[in-house]
Amino acid sequence: MYYSITHRTRYKYSAPVSESISEVRMNPRSDGNQRCLRFELAVSPQARRFKYVDASGNIVHYFDIPGRHSQLAITAEAIVEVHPPPNLPERLPDDAWDEIDMLAHTTDAYDMLLSGDLTMPSQRLREFMHTIDARRRDDPLTVIRHIKRSIYESFRYVPLSTEVDSHIDDTLSKGEGVCQDFSHIMLAIVRELGVPARYVSGYLFHQGNGGGRSTPDATHAWVEVLLPGLGWVGLDPTNNMLGDGRHIRVAIGREYSDVTPTRGVFKGSAESKLHVEVKVEQLLTPPPSEELEAPVANPWQVEQADVRQAQQQQQ
């Protein structure tokens, strides 16, 4: 499946600022089950743009606007090819918990066991875990599916009910939140069980009424967990679904603060007002061949091979 994405961000300042420095994480990733075929970033006022790849493999663009300006507009446009992930088994083998312990301590995934400020475990979290019986039992895949479904059933989706820097306790106490909050809660729980998990920011294509509880004109967030023999598996607790061919991955990290779409500072005494608009469309036909990069044979093989190699090293 091919998707066209337009992500517009506008900052309006209450008074002119003399300089602003910004970084942007809006470039879809080319790994796993997807390829970014084209990406363009436009900035107004115009600025010279640079980019680098951070420690998690996310593409980060950054720029400096030295002159006085009263607003900043950022438009990112992308075309992405997404393959549906392989079907998951009903359950994992009985020794899967032991394999997870070996994977977590012999691969780079160890960092994804560490909590950030927004996902730090708390007494409220452990009480919720007890309520939904989130513990090491059965097999990891069965438990993780249960956690995903329990979060979906336990909390209401209410836009603007939390802030971008809200701790998981805010949602746990109010019983409502947005995709960022539900993903943070799931991250905290599965990490408490010793399963490496990472936060994924990106987009979800809404087809008819199939978008679930998330907002169609905004970015989306979900979770990936590392499971033996399967690699990184996407789970969307907001919509009680697995990551599928409609989930478009942009950046991964420990939590939202690692992958914010825009981040910056400015000089001046002013307040800023943010407006975001996202549009995701499915393309009926593939883009012209001259726009495509060299194809990647079975994009899942690379990541799966890394996991299998780690498992062989453990043995």
Side-chain angles (χ1 to χ4, degrees):
M1 290 175 281
Y2 296 90
Y3 297 103
S4 171
I5 304 159
T6 303
H7 185 165
R8 294 187 175 92
T9 303
R10 183 183 298 273
Y11 290 94
K12 289 188 176 181
Y13 305 110
S14 59
V17 299
S18 58
E19 182 177 12
S20 64
I21 301 174
S22 305
E23 67 176 26
V24 174
R25 286 175 172 83
M26 296 181 182
N27 194 331
R29 296 173 65 97
S30 290
D31 63 3
N33 65 326
Q34 71 175 41
R35 279 194 305 147
C36 181
L37 305 177
R38 189 175 70 196
F39 180 79
E40 297 178 0
L41 185 70
V43 179
S44 178
Q46 292 186 355
R48 186 178 180 186
R49 300 174 298 280
F50 305 88
K51 69 177 181 180
Y52 67 93
V53 178
D54 67 15
S56 297
N58 306 313
I59 299 175
V60 184
H61 292 80
Y62 63 99
F63 52 88
D64 175 18
I65 300 177
R68 288 173 60 84
H69 52 285
S70 57
Q71 65 178 9
L72 169 62
I74 304 169
T75 301
E77 296 181 310
I79 294 179
V80 184
E81 178 186 14
V82 182
H83 298 269
N87 293 328
L88 295 179
E90 286 298 319
R91 55 176 291 123
L92 293 180
D94 293 339
D95 61 351
W97 286 114
D98 295 332
E99 291 189 47
I100 284 178
D101 292 337
M102 290 188 292
L103 273 178
H105 292 86
T106 58
T107 67
D108 293 339
Y110 180 79
D111 286 346
M112 296 304 169
L113 283 174
L114 305 177
S115 299
D117 293 338
L118 307 181
T119 53
M120 191 65 64
S122 64
Q123 182 60 31
R124 278 197 177 97
L125 178 75
R126 296 185 178 97
E127 291 172 356
F128 178 67
M129 291 177 64
H130 177 74
T131 299
I132 66 172
D133 194 24
R135 57 185 173 85
R136 285 198 169 198
R137 55 181 173 82
D138 303 318
D139 71 284
L141 184 55
T142 299
V143 172
I144 287 170
R145 279 176 167 146
H146 169 72
I147 294 169
K148 169 181 62 68
R149 183 175 63 255
S150 297
I151 293 173
Y152 174 82
E153 295 173 348
S154 300
F155 301 101
R156 300 181 301 277
Y157 181 85
V158 181
L160 305 178
S161 58
T162 56
E163 305 293 336
V164 294
D165 57 353
S166 293
H167 185 266
I168 54 176
D169 278 357
D170 293 345
T171 296
L172 289 168
S173 60
K174 294 194 297 185
E176 60 187 31
V178 295
C179 58
Q180 171 184 314
D181 306 301
F182 306 149
S183 297
H184 280 166
I185 291 173
M186 186 164 186
L187 287 172
I189 292 175
V190 298
R191 286 171 180 162
E192 281 286 276
L193 301 182
V195 180
R198 60 194 188 189
Y199 184 99
V200 186
S201 69
Y203 311 101
L204 176 64
F205 173 64
H206 292 248
Q207 187 173 16
N209 295 324
R213 302 193 299 179
S214 48
T215 305
D217 57 350
T219 57
H220 191 50
W222 61 99
V223 171
E224 290 180 343
V225 299
L226 182 61
L227 297 175
L230 301 177
W232 290 99
V233 175
L235 301 112
D236 184 346
T238 303
N239 297 299
N240 190 27
M241 62 190 297
L242 299 174
D244 62 11
R246 297 186 294 131
H247 288 77
I248 303 161
R249 303 158 71 246
V250 172
I252 57 175
R254 289 183 305 158
E255 59 181 31
Y256 172 80
S257 58
D258 290 341
V259 298
T260 52
T262 59
R263 176 183 297 158
V265 295
F266 61 82
K267 291 181 179 179
S269 299
E271 295 181 354
S272 62
K273 185 176 181 180
L274 172 64
H275 175 75
V276 177
E277 177 186 346
V278 172
K279 185 176 183 181
V280 181
E281 296 180 303
Q282 186 174 9
L283 301 180
L284 299 179
T285 58
S289 58
E290 61 268 18
E291 296 182 6
L292 303 181
E293 299 175 354
V296 178
N298 195 342
W300 281 91
Q301 285 184 349
V302 176
E303 193 166 271
Q304 300 293 336
D306 292 340
V307 175
R308 285 196 295 270
Q309 182 179 5
Q311 291 173 327
Q312 292 169 357
Q313 292 172 347
Q314 295 158 11
Q315 298 171 358

